[in-house]
mmCIF file with all atom_site columns, all heavy atoms in Angstrom:
data_model
loop_
_atom_site.group_PDB
_atom_site.id
_atom_site.type_symbol
_atom_site.label_atom_id
_atom_site.label_alt_id
_atom_site.label_comp_id
_atom_site.label_asym_id
_atom_site.label_entity_id
_atom_site.label_seq_id
_atom_site.pdbx_PDB_ins_code
_atom_site.Cartn_x
_atom_site.Cartn_y
_atom_site.Cartn_z
_atom_site.occupancy
_atom_site.B_iso_or_equiv
_atom_site.pdbx_formal_charge
_atom_site.auth_seq_id
_atom_site.auth_comp_id
_atom_site.auth_asym_id
_atom_site.auth_atom_id
_atom_site.pdbx_PDB_model_num
ATOM 1   N N   . THR A 1 210 ? 0.542  61.364 -17.832 1.00 97.00 ? 210 THR A N   1
ATOM 2   C CA  . THR A 1 210 ? -0.668 61.984 -17.298 1.00 97.00 ? 210 THR A CA  1
ATOM 3   C C   . THR A 1 210 ? -1.540 62.574 -18.397 1.00 97.00 ? 210 THR A C   1
ATOM 4   O O   . THR A 1 210 ? -2.762 62.343 -18.435 1.00 97.00 ? 210 THR A O   1
ATOM 5   C CB  . THR A 1 210 ? -0.305 63.094 -16.300 1.00 97.00 ? 210 THR A CB  1
ATOM 6   O OG1 . THR A 1 210 ? 0.600  64.014 -16.930 1.00 97.00 ? 210 THR A OG1 1
ATOM 7   C CG2 . THR A 1 210 ? 0.337  62.510 -15.054 1.00 97.00 ? 210 THR A CG2 1
ATOM 8   N N   . ASN A 1 211 ? -0.955 63.323 -19.299 1.00 97.00 ? 211 ASN A N   1
ATOM 9   C CA  . ASN A 1 211 ? -1.717 64.121 -20.254 1.00 97.00 ? 211 ASN A CA  1
ATOM 10  C C   . ASN A 1 211 ? -1.964 63.429 -21.580 1.00 97.00 ? 211 ASN A C   1
ATOM 11  O O   . ASN A 1 211 ? -2.870 63.835 -22.320 1.00 97.00 ? 211 ASN A O   1
ATOM 12  C CB  . ASN A 1 211 ? -0.988 65.449 -20.528 1.00 97.00 ? 211 ASN A CB  1
ATOM 13  C CG  . ASN A 1 211 ? -0.845 66.313 -19.291 1.00 97.00 ? 211 ASN A CG  1
ATOM 14  O OD1 . ASN A 1 211 ? -0.708 65.813 -18.186 1.00 97.00 ? 211 ASN A OD1 1
ATOM 15  N ND2 . ASN A 1 211 ? -0.867 67.622 -19.473 1.00 97.00 ? 211 ASN A ND2 1
ATOM 16  N N   . VAL A 1 212 ? -1.181 62.418 -21.906 1.00 97.00 ? 212 VAL A N   1
ATOM 17  C CA  . VAL A 1 212 ? -1.306 61.774 -23.216 1.00 97.00 ? 212 VAL A CA  1
ATOM 18  C C   . VAL A 1 212 ? -1.852 60.354 -23.090 1.00 97.00 ? 212 VAL A C   1
ATOM 19  O O   . VAL A 1 212 ? -2.804 59.980 -23.775 1.00 97.00 ? 212 VAL A O   1
ATOM 20  C CB  . VAL A 1 212 ? 0.057  61.766 -23.942 1.00 97.00 ? 212 VAL A CB  1
ATOM 21  C CG1 . VAL A 1 212 ? -0.027 60.981 -25.248 1.00 97.00 ? 212 VAL A CG1 1
ATOM 22  C CG2 . VAL A 1 212 ? 0.523  63.197 -24.208 1.00 97.00 ? 212 VAL A CG2 1
ATOM 23  N N   . ARG A 1 213 ? -1.291 59.573 -22.181 1.00 96.00 ? 213 ARG A N   1
ATOM 24  C CA  . ARG A 1 213 ? -1.696 58.169 -22.065 1.00 96.00 ? 213 ARG A CA  1
ATOM 25  C C   . ARG A 1 213 ? -2.813 57.934 -21.066 1.00 96.00 ? 213 ARG A C   1
ATOM 26  O O   . ARG A 1 213 ? -3.347 56.832 -20.971 1.00 96.00 ? 213 ARG A O   1
ATOM 27  C CB  . ARG A 1 213 ? -0.478 57.308 -21.680 1.00 96.00 ? 213 ARG A CB  1
ATOM 28  C CG  . ARG A 1 213 ? 0.618  57.321 -22.728 1.00 96.00 ? 213 ARG A CG  1
ATOM 29  C CD  . ARG A 1 213 ? 1.845  56.557 -22.266 1.00 96.00 ? 213 ARG A CD  1
ATOM 30  N NE  . ARG A 1 213 ? 2.926  56.651 -23.245 1.00 96.00 ? 213 ARG A NE  1
ATOM 31  C CZ  . ARG A 1 213 ? 4.180  56.290 -23.015 1.00 96.00 ? 213 ARG A CZ  1
ATOM 32  N NH1 . ARG A 1 213 ? 4.523  55.824 -21.814 1.00 96.00 ? 213 ARG A NH1 1
ATOM 33  N NH2 . ARG A 1 213 ? 5.094  56.419 -23.956 1.00 96.00 ? 213 ARG A NH2 1
ATOM 34  N N   . GLY A 1 214 ? -3.154 58.947 -20.285 1.00 95.00 ? 214 GLY A N   1
ATOM 35  C CA  . GLY A 1 214 ? -4.251 58.811 -19.333 1.00 95.00 ? 214 GLY A CA  1
ATOM 36  C C   . GLY A 1 214 ? -3.916 57.963 -18.127 1.00 95.00 ? 214 GLY A C   1
ATOM 37  O O   . GLY A 1 214 ? -4.815 57.390 -17.500 1.00 95.00 ? 214 GLY A O   1
ATOM 38  N N   . GLU A 1 215 ? -2.634 57.895 -17.764 1.00 96.00 ? 215 GLU A N   1
ATOM 39  C CA  . GLU A 1 215 ? -2.250 57.148 -16.570 1.00 96.00 ? 215 GLU A CA  1
ATOM 40  C C   . GLU A 1 215 ? -2.385 58.045 -15.341 1.00 96.00 ? 215 GLU A C   1
ATOM 41  O O   . GLU A 1 215 ? -2.449 59.273 -15.440 1.00 96.00 ? 215 GLU A O   1
ATOM 42  C CB  . GLU A 1 215 ? -0.814 56.633 -16.721 1.00 96.00 ? 215 GLU A CB  1
ATOM 43  C CG  . GLU A 1 215 ? -0.653 55.674 -17.899 1.00 96.00 ? 215 GLU A CG  1
ATOM 44  C CD  . GLU A 1 215 ? 0.772  55.197 -18.106 1.00 96.00 ? 215 GLU A CD  1
ATOM 45  O OE1 . GLU A 1 215 ? 1.625  55.444 -17.225 1.00 96.00 ? 215 GLU A OE1 1
ATOM 46  O OE2 . GLU A 1 215 ? 1.044  54.591 -19.167 1.00 96.00 ? 215 GLU A OE2 1
ATOM 47  N N   . ASP A 1 216 ? -2.472 57.425 -14.182 1.00 97.00 ? 216 ASP A N   1
ATOM 48  C CA  . ASP A 1 216 ? -2.633 58.156 -12.922 1.00 97.00 ? 216 ASP A CA  1
ATOM 49  C C   . ASP A 1 216 ? -1.283 58.164 -12.206 1.00 97.00 ? 216 ASP A C   1
ATOM 50  O O   . ASP A 1 216 ? -0.750 57.091 -11.874 1.00 97.00 ? 216 ASP A O   1
ATOM 51  C CB  . ASP A 1 216 ? -3.698 57.488 -12.069 1.00 97.00 ? 216 ASP A CB  1
ATOM 52  C CG  . ASP A 1 216 ? -4.292 58.420 -11.035 1.00 97.00 ? 216 ASP A CG  1
ATOM 53  O OD1 . ASP A 1 216 ? -4.120 59.649 -11.162 1.00 97.00 ? 216 ASP A OD1 1
ATOM 54  O OD2 . ASP A 1 216 ? -4.952 57.930 -10.093 1.00 97.00 ? 216 ASP A OD2 1
ATOM 55  N N   . VAL A 1 217 ? -0.723 59.349 -11.955 1.00 98.00 ? 217 VAL A N   1
ATOM 56  C CA  . VAL A 1 217 ? 0.651  59.454 -11.472 1.00 98.00 ? 217 VAL A CA  1
ATOM 57  C C   . VAL A 1 217 ? 0.684  60.083 -10.087 1.00 98.00 ? 217 VAL A C   1
ATOM 58  O O   . VAL A 1 217 ? 0.003  61.077 -9.815  1.00 98.00 ? 217 VAL A O   1
ATOM 59  C CB  . VAL A 1 217 ? 1.519  60.274 -12.451 1.00 98.00 ? 217 VAL A CB  1
ATOM 60  C CG1 . VAL A 1 217 ? 2.946  60.404 -11.920 1.00 98.00 ? 217 VAL A CG1 1
ATOM 61  C CG2 . VAL A 1 217 ? 1.539  59.606 -13.822 1.00 98.00 ? 217 VAL A CG2 1
ATOM 62  N N   . TYR A 1 218 ? 1.511  59.481 -9.217  1.00 98.00 ? 218 TYR A N   1
ATOM 63  C CA  . TYR A 1 218 ? 1.717  59.968 -7.856  1.00 98.00 ? 218 TYR A CA  1
ATOM 64  C C   . TYR A 1 218 ? 3.196  60.277 -7.677  1.00 98.00 ? 218 TYR A C   1
ATOM 65  O O   . TYR A 1 218 ? 4.059  59.541 -8.170  1.00 98.00 ? 218 TYR A O   1
ATOM 66  C CB  . TYR A 1 218 ? 1.287  58.919 -6.833  1.00 98.00 ? 218 TYR A CB  1
ATOM 67  C CG  . TYR A 1 218 ? -0.209 58.695 -6.800  1.00 98.00 ? 218 TYR A CG  1
ATOM 68  C CD1 . TYR A 1 218 ? -0.850 57.987 -7.809  1.00 98.00 ? 218 TYR A CD1 1
ATOM 69  C CD2 . TYR A 1 218 ? -0.989 59.187 -5.751  1.00 98.00 ? 218 TYR A CD2 1
ATOM 70  C CE1 . TYR A 1 218 ? -2.220 57.785 -7.791  1.00 98.00 ? 218 TYR A CE1 1
ATOM 71  C CE2 . TYR A 1 218 ? -2.360 58.984 -5.711  1.00 98.00 ? 218 TYR A CE2 1
ATOM 72  C CZ  . TYR A 1 218 ? -2.969 58.283 -6.728  1.00 98.00 ? 218 TYR A CZ  1
ATOM 73  O OH  . TYR A 1 218 ? -4.327 58.094 -6.700  1.00 98.00 ? 218 TYR A OH  1
ATOM 74  N N   . LEU A 1 219 ? 3.476  61.348 -6.939  1.00 97.00 ? 219 LEU A N   1
ATOM 75  C CA  . LEU A 1 219 ? 4.852  61.785 -6.718  1.00 97.00 ? 219 LEU A CA  1
ATOM 76  C C   . LEU A 1 219 ? 5.120  61.876 -5.220  1.00 97.00 ? 219 LEU A C   1
ATOM 77  O O   . LEU A 1 219 ? 4.293  62.402 -4.467  1.00 97.00 ? 219 LEU A O   1
ATOM 78  C CB  . LEU A 1 219 ? 5.068  63.152 -7.373  1.00 97.00 ? 219 LEU A CB  1
ATOM 79  C CG  . LEU A 1 219 ? 6.505  63.667 -7.507  1.00 97.00 ? 219 LEU A CG  1
ATOM 80  C CD1 . LEU A 1 219 ? 7.291  62.792 -8.482  1.00 97.00 ? 219 LEU A CD1 1
ATOM 81  C CD2 . LEU A 1 219 ? 6.502  65.114 -8.000  1.00 97.00 ? 219 LEU A CD2 1
ATOM 82  N N   . TYR A 1 220 ? 6.271  61.360 -4.792  1.00 96.00 ? 220 TYR A N   1
ATOM 83  C CA  . TYR A 1 220 ? 6.638  61.348 -3.373  1.00 96.00 ? 220 TYR A CA  1
ATOM 84  C C   . TYR A 1 220 ? 8.063  61.856 -3.209  1.00 96.00 ? 220 TYR A C   1
ATOM 85  O O   . TYR A 1 220 ? 8.973  61.430 -3.929  1.00 96.00 ? 220 TYR A O   1
ATOM 86  C CB  . TYR A 1 220 ? 6.540  59.929 -2.795  1.00 96.00 ? 220 TYR A CB  1
ATOM 87  C CG  . TYR A 1 220 ? 5.174  59.293 -2.936  1.00 96.00 ? 220 TYR A CG  1
ATOM 88  C CD1 . TYR A 1 220 ? 4.861  58.524 -4.061  1.00 96.00 ? 220 TYR A CD1 1
ATOM 89  C CD2 . TYR A 1 220 ? 4.203  59.455 -1.950  1.00 96.00 ? 220 TYR A CD2 1
ATOM 90  C CE1 . TYR A 1 220 ? 3.615  57.939 -4.198  1.00 96.00 ? 220 TYR A CE1 1
ATOM 91  C CE2 . TYR A 1 220 ? 2.952  58.870 -2.079  1.00 96.00 ? 220 TYR A CE2 1
ATOM 92  C CZ  . TYR A 1 220 ? 2.665  58.116 -3.209  1.00 96.00 ? 220 TYR A CZ  1
ATOM 93  O OH  . TYR A 1 220 ? 1.415  57.542 -3.345  1.00 96.00 ? 220 TYR A OH  1
ATOM 94  N N   . ARG A 1 221 ? 8.256  62.752 -2.251  1.00 96.00 ? 221 ARG A N   1
ATOM 95  C CA  . ARG A 1 221 ? 9.595  63.226 -1.921  1.00 96.00 ? 221 ARG A CA  1
ATOM 96  C C   . ARG A 1 221 ? 10.292 62.167 -1.072  1.00 96.00 ? 221 ARG A C   1
ATOM 97  O O   . ARG A 1 221 ? 9.764  61.707 -0.062  1.00 96.00 ? 221 ARG A O   1
ATOM 98  C CB  . ARG A 1 221 ? 9.503  64.558 -1.167  1.00 96.00 ? 221 ARG A CB  1
ATOM 99  C CG  . ARG A 1 221 ? 10.803 65.174 -0.677  1.00 96.00 ? 221 ARG A CG  1
ATOM 100 C CD  . ARG A 1 221 ? 11.822 65.469 -1.778  1.00 96.00 ? 221 ARG A CD  1
ATOM 101 N NE  . ARG A 1 221 ? 11.320 66.144 -2.954  1.00 96.00 ? 221 ARG A NE  1
ATOM 102 C CZ  . ARG A 1 221 ? 11.372 67.457 -3.181  1.00 96.00 ? 221 ARG A CZ  1
ATOM 103 N NH1 . ARG A 1 221 ? 11.875 68.260 -2.253  1.00 96.00 ? 221 ARG A NH1 1
ATOM 104 N NH2 . ARG A 1 221 ? 10.937 67.968 -4.314  1.00 96.00 ? 221 ARG A NH2 1
ATOM 105 N N   . VAL A 1 222 ? 11.499 61.761 -1.514  1.00 93.00 ? 222 VAL A N   1
ATOM 106 C CA  . VAL A 1 222 ? 12.272 60.742 -0.815  1.00 93.00 ? 222 VAL A CA  1
ATOM 107 C C   . VAL A 1 222 ? 13.184 61.423 0.195   1.00 93.00 ? 222 VAL A C   1
ATOM 108 O O   . VAL A 1 222 ? 13.834 62.430 -0.104  1.00 93.00 ? 222 VAL A O   1
ATOM 109 C CB  . VAL A 1 222 ? 13.088 59.894 -1.803  1.00 93.00 ? 222 VAL A CB  1
ATOM 110 C CG1 . VAL A 1 222 ? 13.935 58.862 -1.065  1.00 93.00 ? 222 VAL A CG1 1
ATOM 111 C CG2 . VAL A 1 222 ? 12.161 59.205 -2.800  1.00 93.00 ? 222 VAL A CG2 1
ATOM 112 N N   . HIS A 1 223 ? 13.226 60.862 1.395   1.00 89.00 ? 223 HIS A N   1
ATOM 113 C CA  . HIS A 1 223 ? 14.008 61.437 2.499   1.00 89.00 ? 223 HIS A CA  1
ATOM 114 C C   . HIS A 1 223 ? 15.410 60.831 2.456   1.00 89.00 ? 223 HIS A C   1
ATOM 115 O O   . HIS A 1 223 ? 15.652 59.737 2.951   1.00 89.00 ? 223 HIS A O   1
ATOM 116 C CB  . HIS A 1 223 ? 13.310 61.127 3.826   1.00 89.00 ? 223 HIS A CB  1
ATOM 117 C CG  . HIS A 1 223 ? 13.923 61.784 5.012   1.00 89.00 ? 223 HIS A CG  1
ATOM 118 N ND1 . HIS A 1 223 ? 14.109 63.141 5.106   1.00 89.00 ? 223 HIS A ND1 1
ATOM 119 C CD2 . HIS A 1 223 ? 14.396 61.274 6.179   1.00 89.00 ? 223 HIS A CD2 1
ATOM 120 C CE1 . HIS A 1 223 ? 14.651 63.449 6.260   1.00 89.00 ? 223 HIS A CE1 1
ATOM 121 N NE2 . HIS A 1 223 ? 14.850 62.320 6.926   1.00 89.00 ? 223 HIS A NE2 1
#
Side-chain angles (χ1 to χ4, degrees):
T210 54
N211 298 33
V212 175
R213 297 175 184 168
E215 298 177 10
D216 202 16
V217 179
Y218 291 75
L219 192 67
Y220 303 91
R221 177 59 47 96
V222 178
H223 186 56

